Amino acid sequence: MTDIEDKLKRLPDKPGVYLMLSEEEKIIYVGKASSLRSRVRSYFRDGNASVKVSALVRHIKDIDYIVTDTEVEALILECNLIKKHRPKYNVFLKDDKTYPYIKITLDEAYPRIVTTRRVKKDGAKYYGPYTSAGSLHETIRLLRRLFPIRTCKSFEKQQRACLNYHIKRCLAPCAGNVSAADYKDMINEIMNFLEGKQERLIKNLQEKMLKAAENLQYEKAGELRDQIKAVEKVLEKQKIVNAAEEDQDVIAFARGSNEVCVQVFFIRNGKVVGREHFFLDGTDSLSRSEVMTIFVKQYYSRVADIPRKILLQEPIEDKDVIEQWLKEKASIRVVVQVPQMGEKLKLLEMVGRNALLLLEEAQLSRQKKKLADGEAILQLKEYLKLTTLPIRIECYDISNIQGTSTVGSMVVFEKGKPLTDEYRRFKINTVEGANDYASLQEMLYRRFKRGAGAAALPDLVLIDGGKGQLSAARDVMKLLGFASIPAFGIAKKEELLFTENEQEPIRLPENSEALYLLQRIRDEAHRFAITYHRQLRSKDSFRSLLDEIPGIGPKRKKALLNRFGSLENIRMASLQELEQVEGMNKKSAMQVYDYLCR
């Protein structure tokens, strides 16, 4: 502890971020402080520390820190470092995935509606995040039904409009059929819709409908009338929660065993326009205030749409700092409140009840799945006449298209659940053409040649295929001394199981948990093989196309791939962006642009 004690003495009395490191120099905790000296020292003198903090302190072998000018800067840096390093002892949103947004490309002359998982400062308008991709796509389908917005990725002037114009799904700005001003009006209407300002949208549409009728444009007036009806239908579903027509986020949570379900209601113009829920893991040792603080920091670090008012079920730490951060992020004054009475408290209680229902539903679903997985394993032992429970099941599949880029996959399920860390994929090296039997044998040989050296041996082997594939697999297992492990072939069409010693296939009872488990395992093996196969084909396609471009050698190909990530992204790049890639010049950029982008 000598080095740590020395560092504790030298800590500055300034705001910043501190990083706790393990013996392997891995970041295991990130925190922020208004005073690095007092905050970091508190970890080592607090005699009443929680179990989690005590465990953290035991594993700290080094401390690093970054000084910032303000607490707000420290808060932003803390959020970014937690997201980047995912430290073991920090609490973060379950699965911590990037959620999708609706993006309106205001940086384009004729904007589009697209989905994205990355929020950039590019002049576009973002709405979200959506935890449900289904609700996001449903919203986009509704918008495209209500508003004839363009969907083409690249905008070029055309002599004739495409089919979307003729079916009234696009105004065809590419063919000059709509002015930029009129198109911009429609974009403003879409933004009003997404921001909950439907009354303003209806009023604008009604004025346009009356004007069209006065000018004897009856077809246009009829289209506007239908549009108004569709918007009014959406409006009927939205609950008015306050007459003040305020923009608010309302946040409450429910606690379970070492997890929390947080519910967020989005209120725009006094109406509930949407809601999302999130889960936090590892929260048992945290107070309710700490849970709310962690969520607010992580949630608003990724959110683009921040309202003027945020109602919270619990008070948060560093309230003034967080309000200042939100103000700088949203460019408006943001007020964080914890209502104690009245309508706002009732609203929070309603959100809390919804969080509790979602938490109970998630827990019940997990319990049912756990019971179903246990029942499935017992049924498999009985139906397949196994001598031991099939705790560990391995399934193998082969994928190729017309004999090219043949690959194999091995997926592992343990106690009915996927063990993704032990999935393996195999690029078939010794087999030419489409030969599933030989490919299976190469894969099984490579897996069982290792024996139990890299992983536990399976209790049951599944082969995606019929008797021929099973026979090929068994030949290898016998050769390597693993004939005692039971193996079955599972046919795709009728879900029949083939075994080595029986003429007739085994048909598992319909609606049995055993059948559902085998289907899940087989489908997962197929998915994993197909995904790998597509990756290889994509790389081959990328290389072959770039190889055809004069002046683009291995270094420039690598630089292009590192910069853009995919062939599709290179196609979408501008000439200026191509020129900026390391090793490229105007001539080489123009060659790539002419070949791929035009």
Side-chain angles (χ1 to χ4, degrees), residues 135 138 165 175 229 299 303:
S135 63
E138 185 181 338
Y165 171 73
K229 285 181 179 178
Y299 176 69
V303 167

Side-chain angles (χ1 to χ4, degrees), residues 53-201:
V53 171
S54 299
L56 166 64
V57 172
R58 283 199 305 272
H59 288 90
I60 296 172
K61 299 303 177 185
D62 198 2
I63 299 170
D64 200 357
Y65 61 87
I66 302 168
V67 175
T68 59
D69 291 332
T70 66
E71 281 191 71
V72 173
E73 287 181 6
L75 177 65
I76 295 168
L77 183 57
E78 178 197 31
C79 291
N80 290 336
L81 289 173
I82 289 173
K83 194 181 295 183
K84 180 180 179 180
H85 296 288
R86 295 177 60 83
K88 179 179 179 180
Y89 289 96
N90 281 98
V91 174
F92 31 75
L93 295 183
K94 203 168 187 179
D95 300 329
D96 202 30
K97 55 191 174 188
T98 52
Y99 293 101
Y101 292 79
I102 290 176
K103 174 182 177 181
I104 299 181
T105 58
L106 296 178
D107 51 325
E108 297 179 326
Y110 293 92
R112 296 170 294 135
I113 299 173
V114 296
T115 62
T116 183
R117 292 181 182 271
R118 295 179 63 191
V119 177
K120 302 177 183 176
K121 292 184 178 179
D122 55 3
K125 187 75 174 176
Y126 294 86
Y127 297 91
Y130 290 80
T131 51
S132 165
S135 63
L136 176 139
H137 292 303
E138 185 181 338
T139 302
I140 287 181
R141 281 194 296 270
L142 175 62
L143 288 171
R144 286 179 175 158
R145 197 162 66 244
L146 291 175
F147 304 99
I149 191 169
R150 77 177 183 92
T151 58
C152 50
K153 288 184 179 179
S154 58
F155 183 80
E156 294 180 5
K157 289 292 182 182
Q158 304 289 337
Q159 294 295 322
R160 298 171 60 186
C162 69
L163 178 64
N164 281 334
Y165 171 73
H166 297 289
I167 62 173
K168 300 180 180 177
R169 287 294 177 90
C170 180
L171 295 177
C174 60
N177 289 358
V178 60
S179 68
D182 287 344
Y183 194 91
K184 183 71 187 303
D185 284 344
M186 180 179 66
I187 295 299
N188 290 334
E189 289 170 357
I190 291 172
M191 292 193 292
N192 283 337
F193 181 91
L194 289 169
E195 291 165 11
K197 300 170 185 173
Q198 285 91 345
E199 284 92 349
R200 186 185 302 178
L201 171 58

Side-chain angles (χ1 to χ4, degrees), residues 296-362:
V296 166
K297 288 195 291 187
Q298 292 197 29
Y299 176 69
Y300 286 105
S301 70
R302 65 177 67 186
V303 167
D305 181 21
I306 302 174
R308 293 181 180 275
K309 192 172 288 185
I310 299 171
L311 305 184
L312 302 180
Q313 180 188 38
E314 303 291 338
I316 55 172
E317 302 165 0
D318 303 319
K319 176 176 174 288
D320 293 342
V321 176
I322 289 174
E323 283 184 333
Q324 181 62 31
W325 167 55
L326 294 174
K327 178 183 176 182
E328 292 177 10
K329 197 170 189 292
S331 301
I332 55 172
R333 182 169 179 263
V334 179
V335 178
V336 177
Q337 292 182 345
V338 183
Q340 301 297 319
M341 61 178 68
E343 293 301 317
K344 290 178 180 176
L345 178 60
K346 290 180 181 177
L347 181 58
L348 271 166
E349 289 171 348
M350 179 187 74
V351 176
R353 286 194 297 273
N354 277 270
L356 180 59
L357 287 170
L358 285 165
L359 179 64
E360 290 173 344
E361 191 178 300

Side-chain angles (χ1 to χ4, degrees), residues 489-551:
I490 178 168
K492 288 185 175 68
K493 288 185 179 179
E494 298 182 21
E495 312 292 2
L496 299 175
L497 284 164
F498 295 93
T499 183
E500 188 178 29
N501 302 318
E502 300 287 340
Q503 286 289 348
E504 293 299 316
I506 300 169
R507 186 188 296 274
L508 296 181
E510 288 187 20
N511 302 322
S512 67
E513 295 298 338
L515 179 60
Y516 292 150
L517 177 59
L518 287 189
Q519 288 171 336
R520 284 210 316 274
I521 296 171
R522 191 269 318 281
D523 291 347
E524 178 68 350
H526 186 62
R527 179 201 66 78
F528 193 53
I530 287 291
T531 301
Y532 183 39
H533 187 256
R534 284 173 180 161
Q535 287 175 1
L536 292 180
R537 289 183 68 215
S538 177
K539 287 180 182 178
D540 291 343
S541 172
F542 183 87
R543 291 194 186 95
S544 62
L545 278 171
L546 288 182
D547 284 337
E548 295 174 13
I549 304 174

Side-chain angles (χ1 to χ4, degrees), residues 390-403:
I391 301 298
R392 180 187 173 97
I393 303 173
E394 292 181 4
C395 184
Y396 298 85
D397 188 24
I398 293 292
S399 175
N400 67 67
I401 295 179
Q402 295 179 343

